[in-house]
Amino acid sequence: MVIYPIPVEVTQARIQLVVDQTAKAPQHTINQDLQAVDHAKAAAVEAALATATAEEPPLVDVKV
């Protein structure tokens, strides 16, 4: 499992979601906020995996 710090973009998207939920924004605005959180998380995971696979050598050397 890759452990990484929570990126600023994810935190900002979550804050915006809470602000809109507290303000009782229209449902489509809240749905857009949820999508923004999901996209930010996906981008962060993808970036973390790209960095992890580029930096770490393989743990197992299989020769056939």
Side-chain angles (χ1 to χ4, degrees), residues 29-48:
T29 303
I30 293 175
N31 286 337
Q32 289 174 349
D33 291 345
L34 286 171
Q35 288 177 353
V37 170
D38 288 340
H39 288 297
K41 283 183 186 178
V45 168
E46 185 176 322

Side-chain angles (χ1 to χ4, degrees), residues 4-60:
Y4 61 95
I6 297 174
V8 175
E9 294 82 10
V10 175
T11 303
Q12 289 173 341
R14 288 179 179 169
I15 290 171
Q16 185 61 47
L17 174 62
V18 170
V19 167
D20 287 341
Q21 286 175 333
T22 303
K24 301 200 186 310
Q27 189 63 37
H28 71 278
T29 303
I30 293 175
N31 286 337
Q32 289 174 349
D33 291 345
L34 286 171
Q35 288 177 353
V37 170
D38 288 340
H39 288 297
K41 283 183 186 178
V45 168
E46 185 176 322
L49 289 175
T51 303
T53 56
E55 292 178 356
E56 296 177 7
L59 298 176
V60 177

